[in-house]
Amino acid sequence: MDNRNTSDDKSVQRSKSFSFKTPKETCASCEKTVYPMERLVANNLIFHNTCFCCKHCNTKLSLGSYAALQGEFYCKPHFQQLFKSKGNYDEGFGRKQHKELWASKDAERITKTA
């Protein structure tokens, strides 16, 4: 004989899906969601393992084989090659040289004083 009365028993509340409210992390390269197993952090930026590539040759990089300059990532051989080609970081990587920026500021000072 069953002595349990279903109408007198309190209903058991089950928790709804257990989830953490974590913000979705997006890849700095492809801007898609990055899941924990494919997450790589370099210079405080989050990447997929496959998206972390050299800007010059698109070779897949690892945390021990990259060099960064102004938010761009290079493999070490190309970083050295681009630096050695012009002898400075700006011109070798396709930016204006600082001496050109100084020259334009000097020209502005001369025109303001005249």
Side-chain angles (χ1 to χ4, degrees):
M1 182 167 162
D2 194 358
N3 291 337
R4 286 184 269 160
N5 187 351
T6 57
S7 62
D8 292 339
D9 285 347
K10 294 180 181 177
S11 62
V12 176
Q13 286 187 339
R14 297 181 186 226
S15 65
K16 295 185 179 174
S17 65
F18 182 76
S19 65
F20 292 103
K21 299 291 181 186
T22 57
K24 288 187 178 181
E25 295 179 328
T26 56
C27 177
S29 179
C30 71
E31 298 180 358
K32 294 182 181 178
T33 302
V34 177
Y35 297 101
M37 290 299 291
E38 56 190 7
R39 184 175 183 260
L40 186 136
V41 179
N43 285 12
N44 295 326
L45 296 173
I46 299 168
F47 294 92
H48 291 107
N49 288 330
T50 55
C51 292
F52 189 52
C53 297
C54 174
K55 183 183 178 196
H56 189 74
C57 66
N58 289 328
T59 301
K60 184 179 170 189
L61 301 173
S62 67
L63 291 177
S65 69
Y66 80 95
L69 180 66
Q70 297 181 350
E72 296 171 350
F73 299 92
Y74 300 90
C75 60
K76 287 186 178 180
H78 281 121
F79 188 83
Q80 291 173 354
Q81 176 188 359
L82 292 168
F83 175 75
K84 288 178 182 176
S85 68
K86 297 292 181 175
N88 62 47
Y89 288 111
D90 295 320
E91 197 175 354
F93 291 92
R95 294 183 184 85
K96 269 188 175 179
Q97 286 189 347
H98 281 287
K99 64 183 178 184
E100 291 176 13
L101 298 173
W102 296 331
S104 65
K105 288 181 183 179
D106 288 339
E108 288 175 12
R109 283 189 209 142
I110 292 170
T111 57
K112 287 181 181 178
T113 58

